[in-house]
Amino acid sequence: MGKSGAVILVSFLFVCCVVPSLATVHTVGDSAGWALSGNYATWAKGKTFKVGDSLVFKYPSGHTVDEVSSSDYESCTSGNSISSDSSGSTTIPLKTAGPHYFICGVTGHCSGGMKLSVTVAAAAGGGGGGGSTTAPSSGSGTATTSHPSSSLTLSPFIPLLVSGVVAIFSYFVI
């Protein structure tokens, strides 16, 4: 295999392995975190949520993060939570496309504004468009742009992939 063939092979491997491993970590509420003073409609507006991304909730004791159904979200009911955590740092991997609903299960907190609804789009290549976001009844928006509280993370396998690409490149080219 000549140099041009090796370059094409390495480029193809890089694109096939690196692009699917990109994900965004969204810190809910930015530096204010998950709190009664948060405005989650404003926070969510303009964000795109995709399968593979994660939501990170940071909060002090006295709060929870409960994933709930649509009806429990609307009524601020946490008795039938899909999942619940009160550790102070909760990471929710967004594994499925569609709407996801989160509330604070402490009495009065959800009705006080501690609720977030996000619509997750299918991962790249999965046919999904942009996801939309909605939060407490104060408003909603369509997610179309990135946001400062979002960060790009790479798969922990990237160093292994890069090492393999370098080895293959060295073998065929040098």
Side-chain angles (χ1 to χ4, degrees):
M1 182 182 284
K3 285 186 179 183
S4 64
V7 169
I8 291 170
L9 176 65
V10 168
S11 298
F12 178 76
L13 289 173
F14 182 77
V15 169
C16 288
C17 296
V18 173
V19 172
S21 66
L22 299 176
T24 302
V25 176
H26 302 275
T27 302
V28 175
D30 298 324
S31 60
W34 184 236
L36 278 170
S37 60
N39 182 334
Y40 301 104
T42 300
W43 175 82
K45 188 173 185 177
K47 287 186 176 49
T48 300
F49 300 94
K50 296 181 197 151
V51 170
D53 290 355
S54 297
L55 295 176
V56 175
F57 294 80
K58 296 185 181 282
Y59 50 96
S61 62
H63 296 295
T64 67
V65 175
D66 295 6
E67 185 168 6
V68 297
S69 67
S70 173
S71 59
D72 287 348
Y73 174 82
E74 293 300 326
S75 64
C76 287
T77 303
S78 62
N80 298 315
S81 297
I82 297 164
S83 66
S84 182
D85 187 52
S86 60
S87 67
S89 182
T90 304
T91 299
I92 306 286
L94 300 173
K95 297 178 182 178
T96 58
H100 294 263
Y101 304 95
F102 304 94
I103 66 172
C104 179
V106 175
T107 303
H109 289 195
C110 174
S111 59
M114 286 186 75
K115 59 193 288 188
L116 171 68
S117 171
V118 298
T119 300
V120 179
S132 65
T133 58
T134 320
S137 57
S138 58
S140 66
T142 301
T144 55
T145 60
S146 63
H147 191 275
S149 70
S150 303
S151 62
L152 186 63
T153 57
L154 296 175
S155 167
F157 298 105
I158 295 300
L160 181 61
L161 173 69
V162 171
S163 299
V165 168
V166 169
I168 291 169
F169 186 75
S170 298
Y171 179 77
F172 287 109
V173 177
I174 298 177

